[in-house]
Amino acid sequence: MEAISSAPHTTSLFGRATNRFKIPFPSFIRNTMSDSNHQSLPPFSSPRMVVKRVLAKTQHEGDGAVVKRAIGSSELRNLDPFLMLDHFSVSPPAGFPDHAHRGFETVTYMLEHSHLTSFGLFGFQGAITHQDFAGHRGTIRTGDVQWMTAGRGIVHSEMPEGEGPNTGLQLWINLARKDKMIEPRYQELLSKDISRAEKDGIDVRVVAGEALGVSSPVYTRTPAMFLDFVLKPRAQLHHCIPEAWTSFVYVIEGEGVFGSTHSSAHHVLVLGPGDGLSVCNKSLEPLRFLLAAGQPLNEPVVSHGPFVMNTQEEIYQTIQDYHYGMNGFEMAKTWRSQ
């Protein structure tokens, strides 16, 4: 997805996977089903509470696409190491034509079909085809994930495949100064290859990190977790989060209680200090949410559209590199997507 004025903007890459790595991540999760006679005890000592709640704002991006922006707006500019989160919906002929990136990672997660609704639609569906100036081309479909490291630079396009709306989440994760100019790389997981576990009314798809004893093969250069939870009615979750990490929740569908805060769909919940999160679904419908956490970089963030660096001088150099086709953008001047 393309860039907005001064904030970083979201765009994913849908190429083929390169090497996959296990991320060293201890098992942090326990959960139980609650009932009138039993309330589970959390496996952590300092529960995280919601310190900020922001409703994602609908806006137009790319060429006719619609996103709900949860992180990256004026209300929540960024959340170190997270730069942006969009909940997108795009139908042909709309899409995200050729555009560039440098200095961060993108995670694009195509949402699976659901009996609940979002964007006024019956469930989620779709696919996005990606191609870039290095010759990578591929299609990510419902339930698949693409983890792309833009590094020193990439130019690509993302266009919907087939009829109907294509919906998903895209998260930008910043790279440390030492990693901003590394070579681009791709990690792609098909839906069937994403680790999944079910227990006591809780279903989780582990895109990054570990939950319910299963872990993801995705290597995250900036240490992070990306967990897609579904809680059945009356289910309760206690999940440990490294105490030094930044964390947030994005409610995809339904409603629930996070810490002591009730929230419904399309809200992002910034979590305060602590070493774990408790969630309870007291409604009569399933609750689906993204839990993301990452190690903060504690470095300056200077952005210009799709470029995210540490200083204004580096941004200026990036613009020069892109304009003149240098330092990673050598093919930018002549390449056009098909």
Side-chain angles (χ1 to χ4, degrees):
M1 299 162 202
E2 297 176 71
I4 56 175
S5 55
S6 60
H9 205 280
T10 194
T11 309
S12 65
L13 247 87
F14 305 109
R16 303 193 185 281
T18 56
N19 294 331
R20 294 175 179 173
F21 298 89
K22 284 276 188 178
I23 178 172
F25 202 97
S27 180
F28 282 135
I29 184 168
R30 296 180 191 171
N31 59 72
T32 67
M33 191 79 162
S34 61
D35 57 36
S36 57
N37 298 316
H38 175 72
Q39 186 75 21
S40 66
L41 296 176
F44 44 80
S45 59
S46 180
R48 292 186 182 229
M49 296 294 154
V50 175
V51 296
K52 187 169 188 175
R53 187 171 77 122
V54 176
L55 178 63
K57 292 185 176 180
T58 300
Q59 62 187 65
H60 294 274
E61 295 295 338
D63 184 6
V66 176
V67 304
K68 295 180 185 294
R69 178 144 301 156
I71 299 174
S73 67
S74 57
E75 292 185 72
L76 187 58
R77 179 61 63 191
N78 55 59
L79 194 64
D80 185 20
F82 304 110
L83 301 165
M84 182 169 291
L85 174 66
D86 278 355
H87 188 172
F88 63 85
S89 177
V90 57
S91 301
F96 306 96
D98 304 0
H99 54 280
H101 292 293
R102 174 180 278 180
F104 56 94
E105 296 185 297
T106 66
V107 185
T108 305
Y109 181 45
M110 300 298 291
L111 291 171
E112 291 190 292
H113 292 271
S114 170
H115 70 283
L116 299 180
T117 59
S118 184
F119 293 100
L121 308 171
F122 185 80
F124 305 125
Q125 58 180 315
I128 296 286
T129 292
H130 155 80
Q131 53 182 306
D132 71 23
F133 70 178
H136 296 100
R137 182 185 177 98
T139 299
I140 183 172
R141 303 184 183 279
T142 299
D144 297 347
V145 65
Q146 173 70 47
W147 199 293
M148 183 274 291
T149 304
R152 66 199 303 254
I154 199 78
V155 178
H156 71 164
S157 67
E158 311 161 272
M159 301 300 290
E161 184 79 17
E163 298 299 322
N166 304 268
T167 64
L169 301 175
Q170 190 171 80
L171 178 66
W172 280 20
I173 305 177
N174 201 9
L175 286 172
R177 183 191 302 270
K178 64 181 178 61
D179 294 326
K180 285 188 176 293
M181 295 298 287
I182 62 175
E183 291 295 323
R185 61 163 293 175
Y186 301 82
Q187 296 175 89
E188 183 177 282
L189 286 178
L190 302 179
S191 179
K192 65 181 180 63
D193 297 323
I194 294 177
S195 301
R196 187 169 187 168
E198 296 181 58
K199 184 178 181 181
D200 297 333
I202 297 171
D203 183 295
V204 62
R205 303 184 85 233
V206 183
V207 175
E210 182 175 322
L212 286 178
V214 299
S215 59
S216 169
V218 169
Y219 169 74
T220 64
R221 192 164 286 273
T222 300
M225 68 170 69
F226 187 111
L227 306 172
D228 175 10
F229 281 106
V230 176
L231 271 63
K232 292 181 179 179
R234 298 175 61 219
Q236 182 180 358
L237 167 74
H238 299 303
H239 185 81
C240 292
I241 302 169
E243 195 163 4
W245 286 18
T246 301
S247 60
F248 72 87
V249 165
Y250 177 71
V251 185
I252 301 171
E253 307 171 272
E255 57 185 285
V257 178
F258 301 84
S260 59
T261 300
H262 179 273
S263 191
S264 56
H266 307 141
H267 284 87
V268 60
L269 311 175
V270 180
L271 304 178
D275 57 356
L277 173 68
S278 294
V279 182
C280 184
N281 181 6
K282 296 182 179 181
S283 74
L284 300 178
E285 299 291 339
L287 164 66
R288 186 180 188 185
F289 62 93
L290 163 68
L291 173 59
Q295 182 175 308
L297 301 176
N298 298 314
E299 295 180 353
V301 176
V302 180
S303 62
H304 180 81
F307 307 135
V308 183
M309 304 299 286
N310 296 106
T311 68
Q312 192 62 51
E313 290 74 18
E314 291 170 342
I315 289 293
Y316 177 76
Q317 183 61 55
T318 297
I319 295 171
Q320 294 291 100
D321 290 345
Y322 178 64
H323 181 75
Y324 291 108
M326 307 182 302
N327 298 322
F329 289 115
E330 284 78 5
M331 292 178 284
K333 297 183 73 173
T334 58
W335 179 82
R336 299 293 183 273
S337 61
Q338 302 299 313

